Amino acid sequence: ALDLAESGGGSVQSGGSLRLACTASGSTGPTYCMAWFRQVPGKLREVVAAIDADGRATYAESVKGRFTISGNNRKITSYLEMNSLSPDDTAMYYCAADGGVGYFVCRAQTLGVADLGYWGQGTQVTVSS
């Protein structure tokens, strides 16, 4: 089993920055697809960014150019650097990972909640105007 834990959330003013971190504990195995999702009450959880086992990063259009995902797929740690934050970025942010996701699926454009088997508990990001 794999346990993921997010950290780094908080409150920031519009235009500010935050850096989220996701660390894993438990048994690890093959290199992993890692991703960040976010969710606001009443809406579906949406992918923000993904990074595959070779370190290739992809992003949702809404965050492209503002957010950067990085990490170590073998250690199953990932980071989400968020810049130029706006109130629209306010959400609970979740990190997720799975060792069974192929390269063509581990993309922000194609990745879905059901593709990833391991999730953190979430960290709240609140951006005020």
Side-chain angles (χ1 to χ4, degrees):
L2 192 66
D3 293 318
L4 302 179
E6 303 93 342
S7 61
S11 297
V12 66
Q13 289 191 325
S14 184
S17 300
L18 283 173
R19 185 175 190 251
L20 306 182
C22 177
T23 56
S25 60
S27 62
T28 63
T31 54
Y32 279 71
C33 170
M34 300 186 295
W36 287 89
F37 285 68
R38 65 186 181 187
Q39 188 171 23
V40 297
K43 292 190 176 182
L44 296 175
R45 193 170 295 188
E46 62 177 10
V47 63
V48 174
I51 185 166
D52 69 17
D54 288 337
R56 290 173 292 204
T58 53
Y59 302 89
E61 286 297 322
S62 60
V63 305
K64 199 173 288 185
R66 300 188 298 122
F67 290 13
T68 302
I69 187 172
S70 61
N72 184 318
N73 297 71
R74 292 187 182 274
K75 294 182 180 179
I76 318 176
T77 57
S78 67
Y79 305 94
L80 187 67
E81 186 78 32
M82 305 185 295
N83 298 312
S84 301
L85 286 162
S86 77
D88 289 340
D89 296 313
T90 295
M92 185 72 78
Y93 283 72
Y94 298 88
C95 70
D98 200 291
V101 177
Y103 289 109
F104 294 108
V105 177
C106 190
R107 299 284 180 267
Q109 292 74 20
T110 56
L111 201 60
V113 171
D115 294 317
L116 299 162
Y118 300 102
W119 291 82
Q121 294 298 308
T123 185
Q124 178 68 36
V125 172
T126 302
V127 185
S128 58
S129 58

